[in-house]
Amino acid sequence: DAKTTQPTSMDCAEGRAANLPCNHSTISGNEYVYWYRQIHSQGPQYIIHGLKNNETNEMASLIITEDRKSSTLILPHATLRDTAVYYCIVSTYNFNKFYFGSGTKLNVKP
Amino acid sequence: SQTIHQWPATLVQPVGSPLSLECTVEGTSNPNLYWYRQAAGRGLQLLFYSVGIGQISSEVPQNLSASRPQDRQFILSSKKLLLSDSGFYLCAWRGVRYGYTFGSGTRLTVV
């Protein structure tokens, strides 16, 4: 069962930052936060993951609150190609299975 | 590098016909393998996962089965398809750090 809560959809203007929130109030101390995205008719793609420190890579930044009960994925300069469903997942590092929730449909508009 | 192959890309099958979808992984050994299904407009539902040859765990009882005859081969099957089996089927393997890597998927339409 998915242990995260995300808004159903969000809009973002092209070139602006997209901030996608995720609530995971029951996260355990050894569970990581993973973010994936799924562009229409493709398999989900890994974006970023973190435990408690903020993380940044070439795709996005991940901000995790100090109590770890929520996080925000930031796409610094959204493009039309970032239109996708974004999934937030919590799981241990040595996980056996991921449960995907409903995700957030991000619509990037010109 | 590790790659995952899944075929066919699309499939149209009549109700009551059998199904066999194959997934293979290259560049890794003893991977954890997974089958997910995504119904139209819905999220991803975990169907089966396998931690080794012959080891299958079923998440949802249904009209499907899975087998792992070889280390890097994962097969999804059905003896008689139902209309409700239509969907987008995705195979995935679990990497060390980045979670899952997904295949390109099979879009199954049961008519």
Side-chain angles (χ1 to χ4, degrees):
Chain A
D1 296 326
K3 298 187 285 186
T4 62
T5 304
Q6 300 176 252
T8 302
S9 64
M10 295 181 65
D11 291 336
C12 178
E14 188 177 20
R16 304 297 294 270
N19 297 283
L20 292 92
C22 179
N23 287 322
H24 32 79
S25 58
T26 61
I27 192 170
S28 300
N30 62 345
E31 288 184 316
Y32 286 70
V33 180
Y34 290 82
W35 282 85
Y36 283 73
R37 73 179 183 184
Q38 185 178 23
I39 296 171
H40 184 63
S41 296
Q42 298 182 23
Q45 173 193 24
Y46 167 84
I47 301 173
I48 199 167
H49 75 284
L51 182 62
K52 54 183 178 181
N53 297 321
N54 297 338
E55 302 287 345
T56 295
N57 63 20
E58 65 278 4
M59 289 182 68
S61 295
L62 173 60
I63 309 298
I64 303 174
T65 57
E66 192 170 343
D67 64 6
R68 302 207 325 121
K69 293 184 176 182
S70 65
S71 61
T72 301
L73 177 74
I74 301 173
L75 307 179
H77 305 287
T79 70
L80 297 178
R81 289 178 295 179
D82 292 321
T83 292
V85 177
Y86 288 76
Y87 296 98
C88 167
I89 304 160
V90 296
S91 184
T92 57
Y93 188 76
N94 189 30
F95 61 92
N96 265 347
K97 47 192 173 182
F98 269 176
Y99 291 105
F100 287 79
S102 299
T104 296
K105 177 66 172 24
L106 176 67
N107 299 300
V108 180
K109 300 184 175 181
Chain B
S1 63
Q2 301 90 354
T3 56
I4 182 167
H5 302 281
Q6 193 179 340
W7 66 93
T10 60
L11 192 59
V12 179
Q13 292 284 98
V15 169
S17 64
L19 173 74
S20 180
L21 302 180
E22 188 166 344
C23 171
T24 60
V25 181
E26 295 179 359
T28 186
S29 60
N30 197 30
N32 283 11
L33 297 173
Y34 304 83
W35 280 110
Y36 282 85
R37 177 173 64 194
Q38 188 171 36
R42 306 293 295 275
L44 284 87
Q45 178 187 33
L46 177 61
L47 301 176
F48 301 95
Y49 72 96
S50 171
V51 299
I53 296 174
Q55 301 180 62
I56 307 296
S57 295
S58 174
E59 285 289 306
V60 182
Q62 54 202 329
N63 187 40
L64 302 169
S65 62
S67 62
R68 187 165 174 178
Q70 300 181 43
D71 181 44
R72 287 170 284 182
Q73 183 184 31
F74 202 23
I75 297 172
L76 182 70
S77 304
S78 174
K79 293 182 178 179
K80 290 184 178 182
L81 284 169
L82 307 172
L83 288 174
S84 57
D85 292 323
S86 294
F88 189 43
Y89 288 82
L90 287 156
C91 179
W93 75 276
R94 196 199 96 183
V96 175
R97 290 192 61 202
Y98 302 123
Y100 286 5
T101 297
F102 283 84
S104 54
T106 295
R107 189 161 302 282
L108 171 66
T109 303
V110 182
V111 296

Short mmCIF file of all heavy atoms in Angstrom, two decimals, chain A residues 67-95:
data_model
loop_
_atom_site.label_atom_id
_atom_site.label_comp_id
_atom_site.label_asym_id
_atom_site.label_seq_id
_atom_site.Cartn_x
_atom_site.Cartn_y
_atom_site.Cartn_z
N ASP A 67 11.49 16.95 10.09
CA ASP A 67 10.82 15.81 10.71
C ASP A 67 10.56 14.67 9.74
O ASP A 67 10.03 13.63 10.12
CB ASP A 67 9.50 16.24 11.36
CG ASP A 67 8.48 16.76 10.35
OD1 ASP A 67 8.74 16.69 9.13
OD2 ASP A 67 7.44 17.28 10.77
N ARG A 68 10.94 14.86 8.48
CA ARG A 68 10.85 13.87 7.40
C ARG A 68 9.43 13.47 7.07
O ARG A 68 9.21 12.49 6.36
CB ARG A 68 11.67 12.63 7.72
CG ARG A 68 13.11 12.92 7.97
CD ARG A 68 14.09 11.79 7.66
NE ARG A 68 13.59 10.48 7.96
CZ ARG A 68 13.48 9.51 7.04
NH1 ARG A 68 13.81 9.72 5.79
NH2 ARG A 68 13.04 8.32 7.39
N LYS A 69 8.45 14.22 7.51
CA LYS A 69 7.08 13.85 7.24
C LYS A 69 6.58 14.36 5.91
O LYS A 69 5.46 14.03 5.49
CB LYS A 69 6.17 14.33 8.38
CG LYS A 69 6.44 13.61 9.70
CD LYS A 69 5.47 14.03 10.78
CE LYS A 69 5.71 13.23 12.05
NZ LYS A 69 4.74 13.59 13.13
N SER A 70 7.34 15.18 5.25
CA SER A 70 6.96 15.64 3.92
C SER A 70 8.20 16.01 3.13
O SER A 70 9.29 16.18 3.70
CB SER A 70 6.02 16.84 4.00
OG SER A 70 6.68 17.95 4.57
N SER A 71 8.02 16.09 1.83
CA SER A 71 9.13 16.47 0.96
C SER A 71 8.59 17.22 -0.26
O SER A 71 7.37 17.20 -0.52
CB SER A 71 9.92 15.24 0.51
OG SER A 71 9.10 14.34 -0.21
N THR A 72 9.49 17.88 -0.96
CA THR A 72 9.13 18.62 -2.16
C THR A 72 10.15 18.35 -3.25
O THR A 72 11.36 18.44 -3.01
CB THR A 72 9.08 20.14 -1.89
OG1 THR A 72 8.12 20.42 -0.87
CG2 THR A 72 8.69 20.90 -3.16
N LEU A 73 9.65 17.97 -4.40
CA LEU A 73 10.50 17.81 -5.57
C LEU A 73 10.46 19.11 -6.34
O LEU A 73 9.38 19.65 -6.61
CB LEU A 73 9.98 16.67 -6.46
CG LEU A 73 10.76 16.46 -7.75
CD1 LEU A 73 12.11 15.79 -7.44
CD2 LEU A 73 9.96 15.61 -8.73
N ILE A 74 11.63 19.62 -6.69
CA ILE A 74 11.70 20.89 -7.40
C ILE A 74 12.35 20.68 -8.77
O ILE A 74 13.48 20.18 -8.85
CB ILE A 74 12.52 21.93 -6.60
CG1 ILE A 74 11.87 22.17 -5.23
CG2 ILE A 74 12.61 23.24 -7.39
CD1 ILE A 74 12.69 23.06 -4.32
N LEU A 75 11.61 21.03 -9.81
CA LEU A 75 12.17 21.09 -11.16
C LEU A 75 12.46 22.57 -11.39
O LEU A 75 11.54 23.37 -11.54
CB LEU A 75 11.17 20.57 -12.18
CG LEU A 75 10.59 19.18 -11.93
CD1 LEU A 75 9.60 18.82 -13.03
CD2 LEU A 75 11.68 18.13 -11.82
N PRO A 76 13.72 22.98 -11.44
CA PRO A 76 14.05 24.41 -11.39
C PRO A 76 13.54 25.23 -12.57
O PRO A 76 13.14 26.37 -12.40
CB PRO A 76 15.57 24.42 -11.31
CG PRO A 76 16.00 23.08 -11.78
CD PRO A 76 14.91 22.13 -11.47
N HIS A 77 13.55 24.65 -13.75
CA HIS A 77 13.10 25.38 -14.94
C HIS A 77 12.27 24.41 -15.79
O HIS A 77 12.80 23.73 -16.67
CB HIS A 77 14.28 25.91 -15.74
CG HIS A 77 15.22 26.77 -14.95
ND1 HIS A 77 14.90 28.06 -14.55
CD2 HIS A 77 16.46 26.52 -14.46
CE1 HIS A 77 15.91 28.55 -13.87
NE2 HIS A 77 16.86 27.65 -13.78
N ALA A 78 11.00 24.33 -15.49
CA ALA A 78 10.16 23.33 -16.14
C ALA A 78 10.04 23.59 -17.65
O ALA A 78 9.93 24.74 -18.10
CB ALA A 78 8.77 23.34 -15.50
N THR A 79 10.08 22.51 -18.41
CA THR A 79 9.86 22.58 -19.85
C THR A 79 8.62 21.75 -20.20
O THR A 79 8.13 20.97 -19.37
CB THR A 79 11.07 22.05 -20.63
OG1 THR A 79 11.14 20.63 -20.45
CG2 THR A 79 12.37 22.69 -20.15
N LEU A 80 8.18 21.89 -21.43
CA LEU A 80 6.99 21.13 -21.86
C LEU A 80 7.24 19.63 -21.73
O LEU A 80 6.32 18.84 -21.49
CB LEU A 80 6.62 21.51 -23.29
CG LEU A 80 6.22 22.97 -23.51
CD1 LEU A 80 5.92 23.21 -25.00
CD2 LEU A 80 5.02 23.35 -22.66
N ARG A 81 8.50 19.23 -21.90
CA ARG A 81 8.82 17.80 -21.81
C ARG A 81 8.75 17.25 -20.39
O ARG A 81 8.85 16.03 -20.19
CB ARG A 81 10.22 17.55 -22.38
CG ARG A 81 10.29 17.71 -23.89
CD ARG A 81 11.70 17.50 -24.39
NE ARG A 81 12.60 18.54 -23.91
CZ ARG A 81 13.89 18.58 -24.17
NH1 ARG A 81 14.45 17.64 -24.91
NH2 ARG A 81 14.64 19.56 -23.72
N ASP A 82 8.59 18.15 -19.42
CA ASP A 82 8.44 17.70 -18.02
C ASP A 82 7.00 17.36 -17.69
O ASP A 82 6.71 16.93 -16.57
CB ASP A 82 8.96 18.78 -17.06
CG ASP A 82 10.46 18.97 -17.15
OD1 ASP A 82 11.18 17.95 -17.29
OD2 ASP A 82 10.92 20.13 -17.06
N THR A 83 6.10 17.56 -18.62
CA THR A 83 4.70 17.16 -18.40
C THR A 83 4.64 15.65 -18.23
O THR A 83 5.06 14.89 -19.12
CB THR A 83 3.82 17.59 -19.58
OG1 THR A 83 3.74 19.03 -19.60
CG2 THR A 83 2.41 17.01 -19.46
N ALA A 84 4.17 15.21 -17.06
CA ALA A 84 4.20 13.79 -16.72
C ALA A 84 3.47 13.58 -15.40
O ALA A 84 3.06 14.54 -14.74
CB ALA A 84 5.65 13.30 -16.58
N VAL A 85 3.32 12.33 -15.01
CA VAL A 85 2.83 11.99 -13.67
C VAL A 85 4.05 11.74 -12.79
O VAL A 85 4.92 10.95 -13.16
CB VAL A 85 1.91 10.77 -13.69
CG1 VAL A 85 1.47 10.41 -12.27
CG2 VAL A 85 0.70 11.03 -14.57
N TYR A 86 4.10 12.40 -11.66
CA TYR A 86 5.23 12.30 -10.74
C TYR A 86 4.81 11.51 -9.50
O TYR A 86 3.83 11.83 -8.85
CB TYR A 86 5.72 13.69 -10.35
CG TYR A 86 6.43 14.38 -11.48
CD1 TYR A 86 5.72 14.93 -12.55
CD2 TYR A 86 7.82 14.44 -11.52
CE1 TYR A 86 6.37 15.54 -13.61
CE2 TYR A 86 8.48 15.05 -12.57
CZ TYR A 86 7.75 15.59 -13.61
OH TYR A 86 8.41 16.17 -14.67
N TYR A 87 5.59 10.48 -9.21
CA TYR A 87 5.28 9.59 -8.09
C TYR A 87 6.31 9.78 -6.98
O TYR A 87 7.52 9.80 -7.23
CB TYR A 87 5.33 8.14 -8.53
CG TYR A 87 4.30 7.74 -9.55
CD1 TYR A 87 4.63 7.68 -10.90
CD2 TYR A 87 3.01 7.41 -9.17
CE1 TYR A 87 3.70 7.29 -11.85
CE2 TYR A 87 2.07 7.02 -10.12
CZ TYR A 87 2.42 6.96 -11.45
OH TYR A 87 1.49 6.58 -12.38
N CYS A 88 5.80 9.87 -5.77
CA CYS A 88 6.62 9.93 -4.57
C CYS A 88 6.44 8.59 -3.85
O CYS A 88 5.30 8.16 -3.62
CB CYS A 88 6.16 11.09 -3.70
SG CYS A 88 6.78 11.14 -2.02
N ILE A 89 7.53 7.93 -3.50
CA ILE A 89 7.47 6.61 -2.89
C ILE A 89 8.41 6.58 -1.69
O ILE A 89 9.51 7.13 -1.76
CB ILE A 89 7.91 5.53 -3.90
CG1 ILE A 89 7.07 5.60 -5.16
CG2 ILE A 89 7.84 4.13 -3.29
CD1 ILE A 89 7.74 4.93 -6.35
N VAL A 90 7.98 5.95 -0.62
CA VAL A 90 8.89 5.75 0.51
C VAL A 90 9.18 4.27 0.63
O VAL A 90 8.29 3.44 0.50
CB VAL A 90 8.33 6.31 1.84
CG1 VAL A 90 8.18 7.82 1.75
CG2 VAL A 90 7.01 5.67 2.20
N SER A 91 10.42 3.94 0.87
CA SER A 91 10.80 2.54 0.97
C SER A 91 12.16 2.43 1.63
O SER A 91 12.98 3.36 1.56
CB SER A 91 10.84 1.90 -0.42
OG SER A 91 11.11 0.53 -0.33
N THR A 92 12.42 1.29 2.25
CA THR A 92 13.73 1.07 2.81
C THR A 92 14.75 0.91 1.69
O THR A 92 14.40 0.60 0.56
CB THR A 92 13.75 -0.18 3.70
OG1 THR A 92 13.31 -1.29 2.91
CG2 THR A 92 12.81 -0.01 4.89
N TYR A 93 16.02 1.10 2.02
CA TYR A 93 17.08 1.00 1.02
C TYR A 93 17.16 -0.41 0.47
O TYR A 93 17.37 -0.63 -0.70
CB TYR A 93 18.42 1.39 1.66
CG TYR A 93 19.54 1.51 0.67
CD1 TYR A 93 19.63 2.62 -0.16
CD2 TYR A 93 20.50 0.51 0.55
CE1 TYR A 93 20.67 2.74 -1.07
CE2 TYR A 93 21.53 0.64 -0.36
CZ TYR A 93 21.61 1.75 -1.16
OH TYR A 93 22.63 1.88 -2.06
N ASN A 94 16.96 -1.39 1.32
CA ASN A 94 17.01 -2.79 0.89
C ASN A 94 15.61 -3.30 0.61
O ASN A 94 15.23 -4.41 0.99
CB ASN A 94 17.67 -3.64 1.98
CG ASN A 94 17.95 -5.04 1.51
OD1 ASN A 94 18.19 -5.27 0.33
ND2 ASN A 94 17.89 -6.00 2.42
N PHE A 95 14.87 -2.50 -0.16
CA PHE A 95 13.46 -2.84 -0.35
C PHE A 95 13.30 -4.05 -1.27
O PHE A 95 14.16 -4.34 -2.09
CB PHE A 95 12.72 -1.65 -0.95
CG PHE A 95 13.26 -1.25 -2.30
CD1 PHE A 95 12.72 -1.77 -3.46
CD2 PHE A 95 14.30 -0.35 -2.39
CE1 PHE A 95 13.22 -1.40 -4.70
CE2 PHE A 95 14.81 0.03 -3.62
CZ PHE A 95 14.27 -0.49 -4.78
#
